Amino acid sequence: MDLRPMALSVLGTLAVSVCHAGPPTLTLYTFESPPYQMSAQTADGVANVVGETVDTVTCAANQAGWSTNIRLAPQNRAAHSLSRNLIDGYFAIDPSTELDITAKRSDPVSLEKWYLFNTEPGPIPDTARIGVVDGSNEKAWLEANGYNIFLSVSSPSQLPALLRRGRIDAALMDERTMSGLQHMEGTGYNELNAHFLRYAPLYLYMSENFTANNPGFISSFNRYLPGCMEGQITLSAEEDKRIRQLAERLFSELDSMLDLQQAIDAGPRLETLADVLTFDSMWQARAPEKATDLATTILELPGSRTLNAWTLTHPELVTEALLSNNMGTLVAMSQLTSDYWQGDEPKFNAVVSNIRSGLTGLEAMYLSDIRYDASTSRFQVTVSAPVGPITDKLPKGVISLGLDIEEALANSRPH
């Protein structure tokens, strides 16, 4: 009997199976919260879940080797399904003591700006009747922090109407969610006063069964998150203005404590880019667990000691202070940083670019987008400014500060 046709048929079937094999699929729940997560239809009429946080989660999961099947569900049902291992994961939610017991939490996948909205000018009294969406992150946070909730509603669109009718005194909601409601007729969004409350990092939780069977997923997912979130968390024009004004005060304060130009002259300097790259490679290979000899030398300089002492006067606000020379190499730092050469990073290059565009002094300041720092578990912005005279369109150096964004906005709040 000639078995070759049968063998060829089996091989053909295997080849088709291999060709169609794809990555494993995550079953994830989330909830309706435009523009982060929302229902939409594709061109052929198929229901889909889209939005910025959906894009972030899908991007990081894909790079970690997984596809995603994302569905919308009420938050209470999603949390119940996760705890019962009926789904693989659930996002985007505030940290939950209850879920932390049975599920594994990723780094933040989104950052919301929570505001209290009201119709009357002036501060919101402690006795205000607060309205919130039932089952929302905002409601859970208010309850956990001892606030009295006057009214819970099923949809965010109900809150502006209740404010206008005087049924509630204030509504707690994400700023961009409320902003999106202004396109709905009769919301009265533009008539509301906004009072910043907090930045709310939101997370992906993976079920107990999934993490037991896939122990490396969360670390891989977290590794790809920063790139997938890049450019999605930005400052508003008003926030940008306030942070720049705060940075000007901080730079002035620091300048009065430390002669920055003298600190640049006292710091080490390498002569060639090849040397810089060699020392930077060794530095990155050992940081943050251990300092190279060069890093230890810099940390022991008077300039670094002064930077460290100054940051300790702003313990919640300033996360780090770095001073580099005109090559972009460090000459002083408040603590050991992850790399030696700053010359390939926006906090140095953007300042130089601003100077070459004709800006001088604090006009050449650089302010970054918001980013998550896994080492400190904080959302930060970086502000940089030129130091000293300009020679050949290069400053003598650049001073850079890392600022906790929530503290920065609290410290720059209009009076």
Side-chain angles (χ1 to χ4, degrees), residues 11 16 88 94 104 163 210 214 229 245 309-310 322 364 391 401-402 410 414:
L11 288 173
V16 171
D88 295 322
D94 237 8
K104 180 77 171 177
L163 281 171
F210 179 86
N214 303 276
M229 293 179 71
Q245 291 173 342
W310 178 76
L322 307 174
T391 304
L401 306 178

Side-chain angles (χ1 to χ4, degrees), residues 219-235:
S219 59
S220 180
F221 181 86
N222 288 342
R223 186 165 63 252
Y224 296 114
L225 263 179
C228 291
M229 293 179 71
E230 190 171 351
Q232 290 198 10
I233 308 177
T234 59
L235 294 166

Side-chain angles (χ1 to χ4, degrees), residues 95 105-111 198-203 226 229 233 246 250 311-321 334-335 368-382 401-411:
R105 183 175 8 134
S106 73
D107 286 345
V109 298
S110 181
L111 182 67
R198 68 180 288 246
Y199 271 94
L202 304 180
Y203 299 82
M229 293 179 71
I233 308 177
L246 172 64
L250 292 173
T311 60
L312 293 177
T313 65
H314 302 283
E316 299 300 321
L317 173 61
V318 182
T319 58
E320 67 177 358
S334 61
Q335 62 198 55
S368 73
D369 284 338
I370 303 169
R371 62 179 179 84
Y372 180 72
D373 182 8
S375 64
T376 60
S377 299
R378 297 160 85 177
F379 280 94
Q380 301 184 139
V381 292
T382 299
L401 306 178
L403 304 179
D404 179 280
I405 183 57
E406 192 165 354
E407 287 295 322
L409 283 179
N411 278 271

Side-chain angles (χ1 to χ4, degrees), residues 32 43 71 115 152 192 197 209 239 280 317 333-334 358 382 408:
E32 186 92 19
R71 288 179 284 173
Y115 281 77
S152 298
L192 301 179
L197 181 64
N209 278 0
E239 290 168 339
D280 185 55
L317 173 61
M333 55 185 172
S334 61
T382 299

Side-chain angles (χ1 to χ4, degrees), residues 312-370:
L312 293 177
T313 65
H314 302 283
E316 299 300 321
L317 173 61
V318 182
T319 58
E320 67 177 358
L322 307 174
L323 181 62
S324 57
N325 57 28
N326 62 2
M327 289 187 70
T329 56
L330 286 173
V331 293
M333 55 185 172
S334 61
Q335 62 198 55
L336 180 62
T337 189
S338 59
D339 53 358
Y340 169 58
W341 190 38
Q342 312 298 302
D344 60 342
E345 298 182 17
K347 60 188 168 190
F348 180 88
N349 285 329
V351 171
V352 172
S353 178
N354 288 340
I355 289 172
R356 289 174 176 170
S357 298
L359 302 178
T360 58
L362 291 177
E363 291 180 343
M365 184 192 304
Y366 161 74
L367 173 56
S368 73
D369 284 338
I370 303 169

